[in-house]
Amino acid sequence: MTKSDLFQPVDTEVRAQGQAMIRAASAASLSFLQPGTHLPSVTRVALATDRAGYPVALISSLASHTAALESNPNCALLIGEPGPKGDPLTHPRLTLHCTAEFVLRDNDGYADLRAFFLEQRPKSKLYIDFPDFRFVRFIAHEGLMNGGFAKAYRFAPEDLVTV
């Protein structure tokens, strides 16, 4: 048995489930490498999407993960929370292997991204315009979904967005 044998084919229903998980996620665990080291770290970020379905976070330049992503944009997001009952490992979760792409205020499309983010996360109005906050878009190179026992899927980048 090879590693690829562990994954079931991604069909229309599974693709829709993965995209829905990304769009519904209000937070994600973000993993990154600490600058100047090979040590991994993880934090939680508030999450939304852009109009194409790419995950987007609003992060402060004061946060250590911002410096880490500037130094090395390779990262991963873990999306999906365990439900209130049952074994946490039976609930679906999606890992996205990504490259972080900063969206600065003078970038084309910033105003639209800001408006769309506020539609999804209205409470961020309190800090979205603070000078140390900026958007980071996560470009997924692959996704690995564990949908529960014997439900493993490997997503291609085009499976994860609705462009």
Side-chain angles (χ1 to χ4, degrees), residues 9-41:
V10 174
D11 59 21
T12 304
E13 184 179 325
V14 171
R15 186 176 298 109
Q17 181 183 6
Q19 290 175 4
M21 286 179 71
I22 293 169
R23 287 197 182 278
S26 61
S29 297
L30 167 66
S31 70
F32 54 91
L33 290 177
Q34 296 179 47
T37 75
H38 296 291
L39 298 174
S41 191

mmCIF file of all heavy atoms in Angstrom, residues 9-41:
data_model
loop_
_atom_site.group_PDB
_atom_site.id
_atom_site.type_symbol
_atom_site.label_atom_id
_atom_site.label_comp_id
_atom_site.label_asym_id
_atom_site.label_seq_id
_atom_site.Cartn_x
_atom_site.Cartn_y
_atom_site.Cartn_z
ATOM 1 N N PRO A 9 -10.763 9.445 -3.897
ATOM 2 C CA PRO A 9 -10.882 10.480 -4.930
ATOM 3 C C PRO A 9 -11.737 11.652 -4.444
ATOM 4 O O PRO A 9 -12.702 11.467 -3.707
ATOM 5 C CB PRO A 9 -11.572 9.761 -6.088
ATOM 6 C CG PRO A 9 -11.505 8.313 -5.775
ATOM 7 C CD PRO A 9 -11.321 8.170 -4.304
ATOM 8 N N VAL A 10 -11.353 12.845 -4.870
ATOM 9 C CA VAL A 10 -12.128 14.046 -4.556
ATOM 10 C C VAL A 10 -13.192 14.195 -5.635
ATOM 11 O O VAL A 10 -12.887 14.381 -6.804
ATOM 12 C CB VAL A 10 -11.215 15.291 -4.507
ATOM 13 C CG1 VAL A 10 -12.042 16.557 -4.340
ATOM 14 C CG2 VAL A 10 -10.191 15.155 -3.385
ATOM 15 N N ASP A 11 -14.453 14.084 -5.208
ATOM 16 C CA ASP A 11 -15.556 14.257 -6.146
ATOM 17 C C ASP A 11 -16.245 15.596 -5.863
ATOM 18 O O ASP A 11 -15.807 16.364 -5.007
ATOM 19 C CB ASP A 11 -16.538 13.083 -6.078
ATOM 20 C CG ASP A 11 -17.154 12.888 -4.688
ATOM 21 O OD1 ASP A 11 -17.160 13.838 -3.875
ATOM 22 O OD2 ASP A 11 -17.646 11.773 -4.412
ATOM 23 N N THR A 12 -17.312 15.877 -6.568
ATOM 24 C CA THR A 12 -18.014 17.155 -6.437
ATOM 25 C C THR A 12 -18.495 17.393 -5.010
ATOM 26 O O THR A 12 -18.372 18.501 -4.479
ATOM 27 C CB THR A 12 -19.214 17.203 -7.413
ATOM 28 O OG1 THR A 12 -18.723 16.976 -8.739
ATOM 29 C CG2 THR A 12 -19.930 18.534 -7.356
ATOM 30 N N GLU A 13 -19.021 16.369 -4.375
ATOM 31 C CA GLU A 13 -19.540 16.504 -3.011
ATOM 32 C C GLU A 13 -18.410 16.798 -2.012
ATOM 33 O O GLU A 13 -18.541 17.676 -1.161
ATOM 34 C CB GLU A 13 -20.274 15.219 -2.615
ATOM 35 C CG GLU A 13 -20.933 15.287 -1.250
ATOM 36 C CD GLU A 13 -21.677 13.997 -0.919
ATOM 37 O OE1 GLU A 13 -22.249 13.383 -1.836
ATOM 38 O OE2 GLU A 13 -21.655 13.614 0.263
ATOM 39 N N VAL A 14 -17.314 16.084 -2.119
ATOM 40 C CA VAL A 14 -16.175 16.283 -1.209
ATOM 41 C C VAL A 14 -15.548 17.653 -1.450
ATOM 42 O O VAL A 14 -15.191 18.360 -0.517
ATOM 43 C CB VAL A 14 -15.143 15.146 -1.376
ATOM 44 C CG1 VAL A 14 -13.871 15.437 -0.623
ATOM 45 C CG2 VAL A 14 -15.747 13.827 -0.914
ATOM 46 N N ARG A 15 -15.438 18.038 -2.727
ATOM 47 C CA ARG A 15 -14.895 19.358 -3.070
ATOM 48 C C ARG A 15 -15.757 20.446 -2.438
ATOM 49 O O ARG A 15 -15.236 21.388 -1.827
ATOM 50 C CB ARG A 15 -14.851 19.508 -4.591
ATOM 51 C CG ARG A 15 -14.171 20.764 -5.081
ATOM 52 C CD ARG A 15 -14.070 20.809 -6.607
ATOM 53 N NE ARG A 15 -13.258 19.704 -7.106
ATOM 54 C CZ ARG A 15 -13.728 18.644 -7.772
ATOM 55 N NH1 ARG A 15 -15.030 18.542 -8.048
ATOM 56 N NH2 ARG A 15 -12.933 17.689 -8.185
ATOM 57 N N ALA A 16 -17.054 20.315 -2.536
ATOM 58 C CA ALA A 16 -17.974 21.297 -1.947
ATOM 59 C C ALA A 16 -17.834 21.316 -0.426
ATOM 60 O O ALA A 16 -17.895 22.384 0.196
ATOM 61 C CB ALA A 16 -19.408 20.990 -2.352
ATOM 62 N N GLN A 17 -17.634 20.148 0.190
ATOM 63 C CA GLN A 17 -17.459 20.086 1.637
ATOM 64 C C GLN A 17 -16.183 20.822 2.048
ATOM 65 O O GLN A 17 -16.192 21.598 3.013
ATOM 66 C CB GLN A 17 -17.404 18.643 2.127
ATOM 67 C CG GLN A 17 -17.257 18.527 3.633
ATOM 68 C CD GLN A 17 -17.122 17.091 4.123
ATOM 69 O OE1 GLN A 17 -17.021 16.149 3.344
ATOM 70 N NE2 GLN A 17 -17.116 16.934 5.427
ATOM 71 N N GLY A 18 -15.098 20.610 1.340
ATOM 72 C CA GLY A 18 -13.846 21.298 1.654
ATOM 73 C C GLY A 18 -13.979 22.805 1.509
ATOM 74 O O GLY A 18 -13.563 23.568 2.384
ATOM 75 N N GLN A 19 -14.579 23.258 0.406
ATOM 76 C CA GLN A 19 -14.782 24.691 0.199
ATOM 77 C C GLN A 19 -15.691 25.275 1.270
ATOM 78 O O GLN A 19 -15.457 26.379 1.770
ATOM 79 C CB GLN A 19 -15.358 24.937 -1.198
ATOM 80 C CG GLN A 19 -14.374 24.660 -2.305
ATOM 81 C CD GLN A 19 -14.984 24.792 -3.686
ATOM 82 O OE1 GLN A 19 -16.155 25.178 -3.851
ATOM 83 N NE2 GLN A 19 -14.204 24.474 -4.703
ATOM 84 N N ALA A 20 -16.729 24.533 1.650
ATOM 85 C CA ALA A 20 -17.646 25.004 2.700
ATOM 86 C C ALA A 20 -16.930 25.114 4.043
ATOM 87 O O ALA A 20 -17.194 26.044 4.816
ATOM 88 C CB ALA A 20 -18.848 24.073 2.806
ATOM 89 N N MET A 21 -16.030 24.175 4.331
ATOM 90 C CA MET A 21 -15.279 24.243 5.587
ATOM 91 C C MET A 21 -14.426 25.504 5.629
ATOM 92 O O MET A 21 -14.335 26.169 6.667
ATOM 93 C CB MET A 21 -14.395 23.005 5.756
ATOM 94 C CG MET A 21 -15.165 21.753 6.113
ATOM 95 S SD MET A 21 -14.098 20.308 6.268
ATOM 96 C CE MET A 21 -13.230 20.720 7.810
ATOM 97 N N ILE A 22 -13.807 25.845 4.510
ATOM 98 C CA ILE A 22 -12.980 27.056 4.456
ATOM 99 C C ILE A 22 -13.855 28.286 4.646
ATOM 100 O O ILE A 22 -13.543 29.159 5.456
ATOM 101 C CB ILE A 22 -12.207 27.127 3.122
ATOM 102 C CG1 ILE A 22 -11.178 25.994 3.055
ATOM 103 C CG2 ILE A 22 -11.518 28.481 2.968
ATOM 104 C CD1 ILE A 22 -10.548 25.798 1.685
ATOM 105 N N ARG A 23 -14.970 28.347 3.935
ATOM 106 C CA ARG A 23 -15.832 29.535 4.025
ATOM 107 C C ARG A 23 -16.488 29.679 5.399
ATOM 108 O O ARG A 23 -16.733 30.788 5.857
ATOM 109 C CB ARG A 23 -16.905 29.493 2.940
ATOM 110 C CG ARG A 23 -16.344 29.768 1.570
ATOM 111 C CD ARG A 23 -17.468 30.145 0.592
ATOM 112 N NE ARG A 23 -16.961 30.374 -0.727
ATOM 113 C CZ ARG A 23 -16.404 31.513 -1.155
ATOM 114 N NH1 ARG A 23 -16.272 32.516 -0.330
ATOM 115 N NH2 ARG A 23 -15.968 31.633 -2.387
ATOM 116 N N ALA A 24 -16.762 28.576 6.062
ATOM 117 C CA ALA A 24 -17.442 28.629 7.367
ATOM 118 C C ALA A 24 -16.484 28.876 8.527
ATOM 119 O O ALA A 24 -16.931 29.247 9.614
ATOM 120 C CB ALA A 24 -18.206 27.329 7.602
ATOM 121 N N ALA A 25 -15.205 28.690 8.312
ATOM 122 C CA ALA A 25 -14.247 28.787 9.418
ATOM 123 C C ALA A 25 -14.128 30.221 9.925
ATOM 124 O O ALA A 25 -13.875 31.142 9.152
ATOM 125 C CB ALA A 25 -12.873 28.282 8.967
ATOM 126 N N SER A 26 -14.332 30.395 11.207
ATOM 127 C CA SER A 26 -14.133 31.720 11.809
ATOM 128 C C SER A 26 -12.727 31.850 12.387
ATOM 129 O O SER A 26 -12.282 32.947 12.695
ATOM 130 C CB SER A 26 -15.172 31.977 12.894
ATOM 131 O OG SER A 26 -15.043 31.018 13.926
ATOM 132 N N ALA A 27 -12.038 30.729 12.513
ATOM 133 C CA ALA A 27 -10.668 30.730 13.037
ATOM 134 C C ALA A 27 -9.946 29.509 12.481
ATOM 135 O O ALA A 27 -10.571 28.565 12.000
ATOM 136 C CB ALA A 27 -10.674 30.695 14.562
ATOM 137 N N ALA A 28 -8.632 29.570 12.552
ATOM 138 C CA ALA A 28 -7.804 28.443 12.129
ATOM 139 C C ALA A 28 -6.543 28.430 12.973
ATOM 140 O O ALA A 28 -6.122 29.460 13.504
ATOM 141 C CB ALA A 28 -7.438 28.556 10.653
ATOM 142 N N SER A 29 -5.943 27.273 13.082
ATOM 143 C CA SER A 29 -4.611 27.171 13.662
ATOM 144 C C SER A 29 -3.622 27.407 12.530
ATOM 145 O O SER A 29 -3.731 26.792 11.465
ATOM 146 C CB SER A 29 -4.390 25.794 14.275
ATOM 147 O OG SER A 29 -5.289 25.591 15.342
ATOM 148 N N LEU A 30 -2.692 28.310 12.747
ATOM 149 C CA LEU A 30 -1.686 28.672 11.758
ATOM 150 C C LEU A 30 -0.336 28.175 12.237
ATOM 151 O O LEU A 30 0.108 28.539 13.333
ATOM 152 C CB LEU A 30 -1.644 30.191 11.582
ATOM 153 C CG LEU A 30 -0.462 30.782 10.817
ATOM 154 C CD1 LEU A 30 -0.490 30.337 9.354
ATOM 155 C CD2 LEU A 30 -0.477 32.302 10.927
ATOM 156 N N SER A 31 0.310 27.328 11.441
ATOM 157 C CA SER A 31 1.649 26.869 11.793
ATOM 158 C C SER A 31 2.664 27.571 10.891
ATOM 159 O O SER A 31 2.386 27.876 9.735
ATOM 160 C CB SER A 31 1.775 25.348 11.666
ATOM 161 O OG SER A 31 1.744 24.970 10.316
ATOM 162 N N PHE A 32 3.840 27.811 11.456
ATOM 163 C CA PHE A 32 4.894 28.543 10.755
ATOM 164 C C PHE A 32 6.219 28.194 11.409
ATOM 165 O O PHE A 32 6.246 27.600 12.492
ATOM 166 C CB PHE A 32 4.630 30.059 10.822
ATOM 167 C CG PHE A 32 4.453 30.571 12.223
ATOM 168 C CD1 PHE A 32 5.536 31.042 12.964
ATOM 169 C CD2 PHE A 32 3.195 30.563 12.828
ATOM 170 C CE1 PHE A 32 5.369 31.500 14.268
ATOM 171 C CE2 PHE A 32 3.023 31.017 14.128
ATOM 172 C CZ PHE A 32 4.116 31.487 14.851
ATOM 173 N N LEU A 33 7.298 28.559 10.756
ATOM 174 C CA LEU A 33 8.622 28.365 11.337
ATOM 175 C C LEU A 33 9.076 29.671 11.970
ATOM 176 O O LEU A 33 8.965 30.748 11.362
ATOM 177 C CB LEU A 33 9.634 27.927 10.271
ATOM 178 C CG LEU A 33 9.432 26.526 9.726
ATOM 179 C CD1 LEU A 33 10.444 26.245 8.620
ATOM 180 C CD2 LEU A 33 9.563 25.488 10.829
ATOM 181 N N GLN A 34 9.606 29.585 13.177
ATOM 182 C CA GLN A 34 10.111 30.768 13.851
ATOM 183 C C GLN A 34 11.332 31.284 13.096
ATOM 184 O O GLN A 34 12.198 30.495 12.707
ATOM 185 C CB GLN A 34 10.475 30.441 15.296
ATOM 186 C CG GLN A 34 9.275 30.024 16.125
ATOM 187 C CD GLN A 34 9.667 29.687 17.534
ATOM 188 O OE1 GLN A 34 10.400 30.413 18.177
ATOM 189 N NE2 GLN A 34 9.187 28.548 18.018
ATOM 190 N N PRO A 35 11.416 32.596 12.860
ATOM 191 C CA PRO A 35 12.525 33.160 12.090
ATOM 192 C C PRO A 35 13.887 32.795 12.686
ATOM 193 O O PRO A 35 14.069 32.801 13.904
ATOM 194 C CB PRO A 35 12.302 34.670 12.170
ATOM 195 C CG PRO A 35 10.847 34.827 12.452
ATOM 196 C CD PRO A 35 10.469 33.628 13.289
ATOM 197 N N GLY A 36 14.817 32.448 11.798
ATOM 198 C CA GLY A 36 16.176 32.140 12.221
ATOM 199 C C GLY A 36 16.342 30.781 12.868
ATOM 200 O O GLY A 36 17.401 30.470 13.400
ATOM 201 N N THR A 37 15.288 29.975 12.857
ATOM 202 C CA THR A 37 15.351 28.660 13.495
ATOM 203 C C THR A 37 14.665 27.643 12.580
ATOM 204 O O THR A 37 14.100 27.998 11.549
ATOM 205 C CB THR A 37 14.623 28.620 14.851
ATOM 206 O OG1 THR A 37 13.207 28.609 14.630
ATOM 207 C CG2 THR A 37 14.986 29.788 15.741
ATOM 208 N N HIS A 38 14.720 26.429 12.984
ATOM 209 C CA HIS A 38 13.928 25.376 12.319
ATOM 210 C C HIS A 38 12.809 24.924 13.246
ATOM 211 O O HIS A 38 12.233 23.856 13.059
ATOM 212 C CB HIS A 38 14.820 24.186 11.958
ATOM 213 C CG HIS A 38 15.868 24.529 10.961
ATOM 214 N ND1 HIS A 38 15.573 24.831 9.653
ATOM 215 C CD2 HIS A 38 17.206 24.654 11.069
ATOM 216 C CE1 HIS A 38 16.685 25.110 9.003
ATOM 217 N NE2 HIS A 38 17.692 25.018 9.840
ATOM 218 N N LEU A 39 12.500 25.750 14.235
ATOM 219 C CA LEU A 39 11.495 25.389 15.227
ATOM 220 C C LEU A 39 10.103 25.796 14.759
ATOM 221 O O LEU A 39 9.867 26.953 14.432
ATOM 222 C CB LEU A 39 11.809 26.062 16.566
ATOM 223 C CG LEU A 39 13.135 25.671 17.205
ATOM 224 C CD1 LEU A 39 13.392 26.509 18.441
ATOM 225 C CD2 LEU A 39 13.152 24.190 17.538
ATOM 226 N N PRO A 40 9.184 24.854 14.735
ATOM 227 C CA PRO A 40 7.817 25.204 14.349
ATOM 228 C C PRO A 40 7.081 25.864 15.504
ATOM 229 O O PRO A 40 7.417 25.678 16.673
ATOM 230 C CB PRO A 40 7.194 23.844 14.020
ATOM 231 C CG PRO A 40 7.959 22.873 14.855
ATOM 232 C CD PRO A 40 9.354 23.426 14.979
ATOM 233 N N SER A 41 6.089 26.623 15.150
ATOM 234 C CA SER A 41 5.217 27.229 16.143
ATOM 235 C C SER A 41 3.809 27.244 15.563
ATOM 236 O O SER A 41 3.610 27.040 14.367
ATOM 237 C CB SER A 41 5.683 28.647 16.476
ATOM 238 O OG SER A 41 5.000 29.123 17.615
#
